[in-house]
Amino acid sequence: FSEAAQIGRGLQAAGISIHGGAIETCLDEATAELAKSKLFPMATTASITFKMKQPILPGVTYRVFCKVQKEIVKGVSYEIEGNVTDTMDEKNTFATCVAKMANPSAL
């Protein structure tokens, strides 16, 4: 991903929302990138749950924000929360996830 990732260009006029699996993939990758940048050089998703709260439309810019919620086993696994929100109102949430990220070299 880059700062210019775009999914579903051209579908906005048809009133079609983005497939939930694409949003889940985005959140999974975002939580893994946070784990790799803040916790350990390689990361794997041990488990992850998603909640889709409202439709995500193509051609609209959203904010993806992730944060480390808690340490499960020091240096081995951590819980990371991910959210897709409105760019102007971070309380307006479109999708969320909770991921358990693991350090594969410590397993």
mmCIF file of all heavy atoms in Angstrom, residues 30-43 68 80 101-102:
data_model
loop_
_atom_site.group_PDB
_atom_site.id
_atom_site.type_symbol
_atom_site.label_atom_id
_atom_site.label_comp_id
_atom_site.label_asym_id
_atom_site.label_seq_id
_atom_site.Cartn_x
_atom_site.Cartn_y
_atom_site.Cartn_z
ATOM 1 N N ALA A 30 -2.840 -3.524 7.373
ATOM 2 C CA ALA A 30 -2.504 -2.343 8.179
ATOM 3 C C ALA A 30 -2.057 -2.744 9.583
ATOM 4 O O ALA A 30 -1.081 -2.196 10.114
ATOM 5 C CB ALA A 30 -3.697 -1.388 8.249
ATOM 6 N N THR A 31 -2.742 -3.721 10.194
ATOM 7 C CA THR A 31 -2.331 -4.165 11.528
ATOM 8 C C THR A 31 -0.967 -4.858 11.473
ATOM 9 O O THR A 31 -0.140 -4.674 12.367
ATOM 10 C CB THR A 31 -3.382 -5.089 12.172
ATOM 11 O OG1 THR A 31 -3.649 -6.196 11.307
ATOM 12 C CG2 THR A 31 -4.671 -4.350 12.480
ATOM 13 N N ALA A 32 -0.712 -5.617 10.415
ATOM 14 C CA ALA A 32 0.592 -6.279 10.266
ATOM 15 C C ALA A 32 1.711 -5.252 10.070
ATOM 16 O O ALA A 32 2.798 -5.398 10.634
ATOM 17 C CB ALA A 32 0.559 -7.262 9.095
ATOM 18 N N GLU A 33 1.448 -4.212 9.283
ATOM 19 C CA GLU A 33 2.467 -3.174 9.072
ATOM 20 C C GLU A 33 2.776 -2.440 10.370
ATOM 21 O O GLU A 33 3.932 -2.102 10.642
ATOM 22 C CB GLU A 33 2.037 -2.200 7.983
ATOM 23 C CG GLU A 33 2.040 -2.799 6.586
ATOM 24 C CD GLU A 33 3.392 -3.369 6.180
ATOM 25 O OE1 GLU A 33 4.429 -2.703 6.392
ATOM 26 O OE2 GLU A 33 3.422 -4.497 5.653
ATOM 27 N N LEU A 34 1.762 -2.196 11.193
ATOM 28 C CA LEU A 34 2.012 -1.571 12.493
ATOM 29 C C LEU A 34 2.879 -2.488 13.348
ATOM 30 O O LEU A 34 3.848 -2.038 13.968
ATOM 31 C CB LEU A 34 0.709 -1.253 13.223
ATOM 32 C CG LEU A 34 0.907 -0.723 14.648
ATOM 33 C CD1 LEU A 34 1.563 0.652 14.629
ATOM 34 C CD2 LEU A 34 -0.388 -0.682 15.394
ATOM 35 N N ALA A 35 2.548 -3.774 13.385
ATOM 36 C CA ALA A 35 3.340 -4.731 14.166
ATOM 37 C C ALA A 35 4.790 -4.738 13.696
ATOM 38 O O ALA A 35 5.711 -4.729 14.519
ATOM 39 C CB ALA A 35 2.734 -6.129 14.078
ATOM 40 N N LYS A 36 5.005 -4.727 12.381
ATOM 41 C CA LYS A 36 6.365 -4.762 11.854
ATOM 42 C C LYS A 36 7.124 -3.461 12.116
ATOM 43 O O LYS A 36 8.334 -3.481 12.291
ATOM 44 C CB LYS A 36 6.347 -5.076 10.356
ATOM 45 C CG LYS A 36 5.931 -6.513 10.067
ATOM 46 C CD LYS A 36 6.130 -6.900 8.626
ATOM 47 C CE LYS A 36 5.137 -6.213 7.728
ATOM 48 N NZ LYS A 36 5.220 -6.668 6.326
ATOM 49 N N SER A 37 6.436 -2.349 12.154
ATOM 50 C CA SER A 37 7.135 -1.081 12.372
ATOM 51 C C SER A 37 7.349 -0.763 13.847
ATOM 52 O O SER A 37 8.297 -0.069 14.200
ATOM 53 C CB SER A 37 6.382 0.072 11.693
ATOM 54 O OG SER A 37 5.150 0.306 12.334
ATOM 55 N N LYS A 38 6.503 -1.295 14.725
ATOM 56 C CA LYS A 38 6.586 -0.950 16.146
ATOM 57 C C LYS A 38 7.020 -2.086 17.065
ATOM 58 O O LYS A 38 7.508 -1.834 18.158
ATOM 59 C CB LYS A 38 5.217 -0.437 16.642
ATOM 60 C CG LYS A 38 4.735 0.817 15.969
ATOM 61 C CD LYS A 38 5.561 1.998 16.386
ATOM 62 C CE LYS A 38 4.999 3.272 15.785
ATOM 63 N NZ LYS A 38 5.828 4.420 16.070
ATOM 64 N N LEU A 39 6.822 -3.347 16.646
ATOM 65 C CA LEU A 39 7.025 -4.449 17.586
ATOM 66 C C LEU A 39 8.149 -5.409 17.214
ATOM 67 O O LEU A 39 9.017 -5.683 18.020
ATOM 68 C CB LEU A 39 5.716 -5.234 17.739
ATOM 69 C CG LEU A 39 4.521 -4.418 18.225
ATOM 70 C CD1 LEU A 39 3.240 -5.234 18.140
ATOM 71 C CD2 LEU A 39 4.761 -3.926 19.642
ATOM 72 N N PHE A 40 8.116 -5.960 16.005
ATOM 73 C CA PHE A 40 9.139 -6.906 15.564
ATOM 74 C C PHE A 40 9.256 -6.843 14.044
ATOM 75 O O PHE A 40 8.315 -6.442 13.367
ATOM 76 C CB PHE A 40 8.848 -8.343 16.018
ATOM 77 C CG PHE A 40 7.413 -8.640 16.397
ATOM 78 C CD1 PHE A 40 6.444 -8.870 15.428
ATOM 79 C CD2 PHE A 40 7.040 -8.695 17.729
ATOM 80 C CE1 PHE A 40 5.143 -9.157 15.768
ATOM 81 C CE2 PHE A 40 5.716 -8.979 18.080
ATOM 82 C CZ PHE A 40 4.780 -9.207 17.113
ATOM 83 N N PRO A 41 10.419 -7.220 13.480
ATOM 84 C CA PRO A 41 10.655 -7.023 12.038
ATOM 85 C C PRO A 41 9.778 -7.859 11.113
ATOM 86 O O PRO A 41 9.545 -7.473 9.978
ATOM 87 C CB PRO A 41 12.128 -7.362 11.856
ATOM 88 C CG PRO A 41 12.521 -8.129 13.060
ATOM 89 C CD PRO A 41 11.590 -7.738 14.163
ATOM 90 N N MET A 42 9.290 -8.986 11.583
ATOM 91 C CA MET A 42 8.363 -9.806 10.797
ATOM 92 C C MET A 42 7.149 -10.077 11.670
ATOM 93 O O MET A 42 7.275 -10.200 12.890
ATOM 94 C CB MET A 42 9.004 -11.115 10.362
ATOM 95 C CG MET A 42 10.143 -10.923 9.384
ATOM 96 S SD MET A 42 10.760 -12.482 8.739
ATOM 97 C CE MET A 42 9.332 -13.103 7.884
ATOM 98 N N ALA A 43 5.989 -10.163 11.051
ATOM 99 C CA ALA A 43 4.758 -10.394 11.814
ATOM 100 C C ALA A 43 3.844 -11.334 11.048
ATOM 101 O O ALA A 43 3.833 -11.348 9.829
ATOM 102 C CB ALA A 43 4.048 -9.077 12.081
ATOM 103 N N VAL A 68 -1.604 -0.429 18.991
ATOM 104 C CA VAL A 68 -1.359 -1.585 19.850
ATOM 105 C C VAL A 68 -2.234 -1.426 21.089
ATOM 106 O O VAL A 68 -2.168 -0.412 21.780
ATOM 107 C CB VAL A 68 0.128 -1.678 20.240
ATOM 108 C CG1 VAL A 68 0.361 -2.857 21.183
ATOM 109 C CG2 VAL A 68 1.009 -1.800 19.003
ATOM 110 N N ILE A 80 -3.757 -5.838 18.421
ATOM 111 C CA ILE A 80 -3.776 -4.574 17.685
ATOM 112 C C ILE A 80 -5.183 -4.317 17.188
ATOM 113 O O ILE A 80 -5.829 -5.206 16.640
ATOM 114 C CB ILE A 80 -2.780 -4.593 16.506
ATOM 115 C CG1 ILE A 80 -1.357 -4.788 17.036
ATOM 116 C CG2 ILE A 80 -2.897 -3.322 15.682
ATOM 117 C CD1 ILE A 80 -0.308 -4.905 15.966
ATOM 118 N N MET A 101 -1.386 -10.320 16.671
ATOM 119 C CA MET A 101 -0.219 -10.414 15.800
ATOM 120 C C MET A 101 0.899 -11.108 16.556
ATOM 121 O O MET A 101 1.096 -10.868 17.749
ATOM 122 C CB MET A 101 0.233 -9.027 15.348
ATOM 123 C CG MET A 101 -0.831 -8.236 14.614
ATOM 124 S SD MET A 101 -1.550 -9.067 13.192
ATOM 125 C CE MET A 101 -0.190 -9.015 12.063
ATOM 126 N N ALA A 102 1.639 -11.980 15.854
ATOM 127 C CA ALA A 102 2.688 -12.767 16.488
ATOM 128 C C ALA A 102 4.019 -12.569 15.769
ATOM 129 O O ALA A 102 4.054 -12.298 14.569
ATOM 130 C CB ALA A 102 2.314 -14.242 16.499
#
